Amino acid sequence: MNTRIEKLRGIIEEKGLDAILSYKPENRRYISGFTGSTGYALITKDQAIFITDFRYIGQAKIECPGFTIIENSKLKTITDILKETPIKRLGIEEDFVTYGQYQEFIEKLEGMTFVALDAAITKLRAVKTPEEVEMIAKAASIADEAFSHILTVVKPGISEDEIALELEYFMKKKGASKNSFDPIVASGERSCLPHGRATDKLIEKGDMLTLDFGCMYKGYCSDMTRSFVVGEATEKQKAIYYAVLEAQEKALAAVKPGLTGIQLDTIARDIIKDKGYGEYFGHGLGHGVGLEIHELPHVNAIGDIEMVPGHVITIEPGIYLPGFGGVRIEDLVVVTDAGYRVLSKSTKELIELK
Ligand code: GLY
Ligand code: MN
């Protein structure tokens, strides 16, 4: 029996539900294995049902062993199907069900009560199995290879867009299905934009270049950031680079079961504050990574979940000086019994591409 379904039945029990309806794509895939774009996993106390339309029936039969497959359509909607069940209390994904869908449920499913799952499936997903960790590690190693490759491509005169395209092409050739998000390629002054997506700006000598990218491998994401200088680094570029590096390495070294995201965030933030750059580190230290690029556990000021073995998180402090540029260094790590294992292997020495 699919142990994930057993865990969902645990949630059903705990919350006094009759069933759970999941259609947030990452949760749905986690529960059922379904990789298509439309479908509903309906888990009851004794049944696992997958509801999808004509386009995906064959795929669901292959990808969702152990599920009874039911076809829906414009004429027989998920609401019509639910109406035929004896479900009284249905757990739904409050962070995914649209207002319109909810209104339809309320209007047409008289007598059924809808209960917010309170991210219960997302919380399950936060703790990875060794097999899931290996998928993320593979996605991270493809990104590492792409970083080594891109260092041979970057030079003055090439555009940020070309760098982003080359990263994507390279990672797909190495087995990735796609980018895990649109790569951030921010050069020169633009590197002060924490999420500066690639533009047609050309790289100039002396630019600090921040690359934040990752790929998906069998549904799992990787995420890494490196900043480096195209040419010789100035004293100011070095000062912010080494401040970020120290914060990154100290926070990373502290990762272990029992610590919260808040505590990790504070370690990095205090170092950056002490160096006088506190106001220029305006985002959280990191986030969980898995089927989604940003998932639990939070590694920031609201991260009150204690780390446990199997959590996969990023550690990514940065300093962004308006009108000058910025630096971010990000590693992907898995929490282990002994502490942590770093999945991003690319060097963090300051690279001066000459
Ligand atoms: N690497 C992109 C992000 O963490 O938001
Ligand atoms: Mn990240």
Side-chain angles (χ1 to χ4, degrees):
M1 175 39 101
N2 177 337
T3 56
R4 291 176 182 172
I5 293 177
E6 287 309 311
K7 286 187 177 155
L8 259 81
R9 296 214 167 106
I11 298 170
I12 288 176
E13 185 73 29
E14 198 182 297
K15 295 189 183 291
L17 305 172
D18 297 308
I20 287 175
L21 180 70
S22 168
Y23 52 108
K24 177 172 167 149
E26 295 83 7
N27 289 347
R28 181 178 67 201
R29 178 175 184 155
Y30 182 78
I31 297 164
S32 68
F34 181 72
T35 62
S37 67
T38 316
Y40 304 83
L42 180 66
I43 309 299
T44 71
K45 288 176 183 166
D46 53 13
Q47 277 185 295
I49 299 166
F50 198 86
I51 301 152
T52 190
D53 62 74
F54 175 81
R55 297 169 301 165
Y56 289 118
I57 293 293
Q59 183 173 334
K61 283 182 182 161
I62 296 165
E63 291 184 336
C64 313
F67 278 74
T68 302
I69 313 295
I70 295 183
E71 184 171 336
N72 71 342
S73 69
K74 294 270 182 280
L75 297 177
K76 184 159 185 157
T77 65
I78 180 69
T79 312
D80 298 327
I81 291 169
L82 287 172
K83 207 176 177 127
E84 290 169 5
T85 69
I87 297 166
K88 294 249 173 308
R89 279 174 61 82
L90 180 66
I92 56 172
E93 293 156 321
E94 72 283 356
D95 55 344
F96 197 74
V97 176
T98 63
Y99 183 70
Q101 178 79 81
Y102 185 62
Q103 286 287 91
E104 184 180 314
F105 284 169
I106 299 274
E107 277 166 24
K108 301 203 178 144
L109 299 174
E110 231 175 280
M112 202 179 280
T113 304
F114 303 95
V115 180
L117 284 171
D118 188 23
I121 307 174
T122 318
K123 286 174 191 161
L124 277 185
R125 280 179 29 220
V127 184
K128 276 74 183 175
T129 61
E131 293 74 26
E132 290 179 291
V133 171
E134 286 325 303
M135 240 86 85
I136 298 170
K138 173 70 179 170
S141 92
I142 294 173
D144 281 326
E145 280 190 79
F147 183 65
S148 299
H149 169 68
I150 212 69
L151 291 176
T152 69
V153 171
V154 171
K155 55 179 183 304
I158 191 173
S159 72
E160 294 173 349
D161 281 333
E162 283 172 274
I163 294 170
L165 186 63
E166 185 63 28
L167 282 170
E168 180 175 0
Y169 180 67
F170 184 92
M171 291 192 292
K172 282 188 172 169
K173 272 209 303 193
K174 292 286 172 183
S177 57
K178 57 178 180 173
N179 289 326
S180 48
F181 56 94
D182 287 341
I184 290 161
V185 181
S187 63
E189 263 187 50
R190 292 193 73 251
S191 59
C192 76
L193 305 173
H195 269 196
R197 304 283 179 208
T199 66
D200 59 3
K201 177 190 170 295
L202 302 182
I203 305 302
E204 292 170 48
K205 199 161 190 306
D207 276 356
M208 177 66 83
L209 181 54
T210 292
L211 300 182
D212 181 351
F213 64 100
C215 65
M216 295 190 82
Y217 181 75
K218 299 201 190 299
Y220 286 85
C221 298
S222 64
D223 191 6
M224 71 174 272
T225 308
R226 291 293 184 268
S227 295
F228 56 92
V229 180
V230 183
E232 205 163 314
T234 63
E235 289 311 309
K236 194 165 173 184
Q237 285 172 331
K238 283 185 190 167
I240 59 172
Y241 190 89
Y242 288 116
V244 172
L245 183 61
E246 185 180 335
Q248 204 273 347
E249 289 188 329
K250 295 240 165 88
L252 186 63
V255 173
K256 63 174 184 198
L259 238 66
T260 64
I262 297 172
Q263 288 170 306
L264 292 171
D265 184 276
T266 304
I267 292 168
R269 203 163 298 283
D270 284 351
I271 292 168
I272 290 179
K273 256 190 218 154
D274 283 351
K275 296 190 183 294
Y277 297 111
E279 66 183 291
Y280 303 110
F281 173 26
H283 58 72
L285 178 66
H287 52 90
V289 174
L291 290 166
E292 284 181 277
I293 186 66
H294 294 145
E295 59 178 48
L296 292 175
H298 294 297
V299 185
N300 57 22
I302 59 161
D304 55 2
I305 298 175
E306 288 187 2
M307 298 293 143
V308 297
H311 276 155
V312 175
I313 59 170
T314 67
I315 301 290
E316 51 175 310
I319 294 175
Y320 312 92
L321 304 181
F324 176 76
V327 167
R328 179 166 62 256
I329 302 172
E330 174 180 31
D331 280 333
L332 191 56
V333 301
V334 55
V335 181
T336 63
D337 290 323
Y340 63 96
R341 171 161 77 96
V342 183
L343 304 178
S344 316
K345 309 283 188 205
S346 296
T347 183
K348 292 185 276 190
E349 295 289 314
L350 173 56
I351 296 169
E352 299 173 288
L353 265 191
K354 290 176 192 157

